[in-house]
């Protein structure tokens, strides 16, 4: 995609949704971190249902550790891989207490040392909790970036690297959410809803579901 088209691509997404937000429900950086860890291979809707009651009784590391792994497991048992995730939540909470004064660190390296936290999760936390212009490439962003020609790449890392280079600085803070929401609701995996796509004329996808001029 040409630079001018990339600028227009994000201008339109921004016009449609000026202040995009994560669909995960959280109350502070810690609960955001837990929610993102739980969201791996799960839907935001499913995570929100599981954490609604959990976050009311444990919205900080000390409270979560006090609950114990069995109780956390019981709260998140509707989520895939819940046993491993519950163990990760307890252990990362212990590490936050031991090494970070109970606070979520703002450094990527520190975040990625936590159980269940990879680069994507760290990017989400840095972006949403701390306003860093990071881009967490999930399946939606990977698909949109390749399908539209915005930032094609064979790996998640390659797509992230390209996005960081091509997304105009003015749009970088919210680019992550615009692309996720676009992929989730419009540029869907099985059948993209091209008829309501605001960037259809900028997109390189050949198998569009509607004809373009």
């Amino acid at each position: 995609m040409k630079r001018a088209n990339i600028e227009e691509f994000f201008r339109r997404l921004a016009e449609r949704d000026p202040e995009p937000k994560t669909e995960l429900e959280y109350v502070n950086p810690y609960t955001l971190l837990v929610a993102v860890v739980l969201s791996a291979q799960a839907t935001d809707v499913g995570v929100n249902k599981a954490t609604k009651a959990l976050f009311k009784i444990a919205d900080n590391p000390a409270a979560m550790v006090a609950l114990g792994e069995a109780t956390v497991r019981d709260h998140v048992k509707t989520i895939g891989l819940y046993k491993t995730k519950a163990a990760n939540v307890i252990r990362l909470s212990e590490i936050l207490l031991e090494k970070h004064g109970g606070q979520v660190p703002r450094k990527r390296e520190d975040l990625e040392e936590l159980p269940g936290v990879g680069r994507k999760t760290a990017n989400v936390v840095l972006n949403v909790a701390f306003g860093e212009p990071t881009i967490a490439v999930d399946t939606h962003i990977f698909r949109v970036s390749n399908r539209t020609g915005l930032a094609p790449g064979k790996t998640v890392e390659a797509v992230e690297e390209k996005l960081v280079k091509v997304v105009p600085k003015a749009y970088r803070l919210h680019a992550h959410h615009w692309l996720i929401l676009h992929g989730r609701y419009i540029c869907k995996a099985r059948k993209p809803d091209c008829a309501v796509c605001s960037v259809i004329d900028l997109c390189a996808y050949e198998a569009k579901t509607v004809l373009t001029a």
Side-chain angles (χ1 to χ4, degrees):
M1 193 180 293
K2 295 179 180 178
R3 185 169 295 278
N5 286 351
I6 293 174
E7 181 83 31
E8 179 63 12
F9 183 96
F10 283 102
R11 187 197 69 76
R12 293 182 194 177
L13 294 183
E15 184 177 57
R16 186 167 182 159
D17 187 5
E19 293 291 331
K21 306 291 184 185
T22 178
E23 294 185 327
L24 286 172
E25 295 173 0
Y26 67 99
V27 295
N28 54 32
Y30 171 72
T31 52
L32 172 68
L33 172 62
V34 171
V36 179
V37 167
L38 293 173
S39 72
Q41 299 179 49
T43 65
D44 288 358
V45 172
V47 172
N48 290 339
K49 286 181 180 179
T51 58
K52 187 173 183 179
L54 178 63
F55 290 162
K56 286 181 179 179
I57 57 175
D59 64 358
N60 62 79
M64 193 70 74
V65 171
L67 282 182
E69 186 176 328
T71 301
V72 173
R73 193 164 58 233
D74 190 53
H75 275 278
V76 302
K77 63 186 178 183
T78 55
I79 301 174
L81 306 175
Y82 73 97
K83 292 181 180 179
T84 298
K85 291 177 180 179
N88 285 339
V89 167
I90 290 296
R91 185 59 192 139
L92 73 81
S93 300
E94 291 172 340
I95 293 173
L96 291 180
L97 291 168
E98 294 165 5
K99 299 181 63 175
H100 303 286
Q103 301 299 309
V104 175
R106 298 187 62 155
K107 290 184 178 180
R108 178 191 303 282
E109 313 83 69
D110 293 334
L111 285 168
E112 290 186 10
E113 287 180 354
L114 299 172
V117 178
R119 184 175 181 84
K120 184 180 77 171
T121 298
N123 277 340
V124 173
V125 173
L126 290 171
N127 180 267
V128 177
F130 302 124
E132 298 287 343
T134 55
I135 300 176
V137 179
D138 68 349
T139 55
H140 297 300
I141 294 182
F142 187 81
R143 180 175 65 255
V144 171
S145 297
N146 277 286
R147 183 182 276 171
T148 63
L150 174 65
K154 293 184 177 180
T155 66
V156 167
E157 292 78 11
V159 169
E160 180 185 341
E161 187 176 335
K162 284 191 178 181
L163 284 172
V164 169
K165 289 180 179 178
V166 304
V167 175
K169 190 174 181 180
Y171 299 112
R172 203 166 295 159
L173 178 62
H174 293 314
H176 163 85
H177 287 116
W178 283 320
L179 293 174
I180 283 179
L181 295 173
H182 189 67
R184 185 173 288 167
Y185 297 111
I186 296 175
C187 197
K188 293 174 282 191
R190 292 187 179 179
K191 187 179 180 182
D193 198 356
C194 299
V196 298
C197 178
S198 61
V199 293
I200 186 172
D201 57 312
L202 306 173
C203 171
Y205 188 50
E206 294 182 355
K208 291 186 176 72
T209 55
V210 295
L211 295 176
T212 56

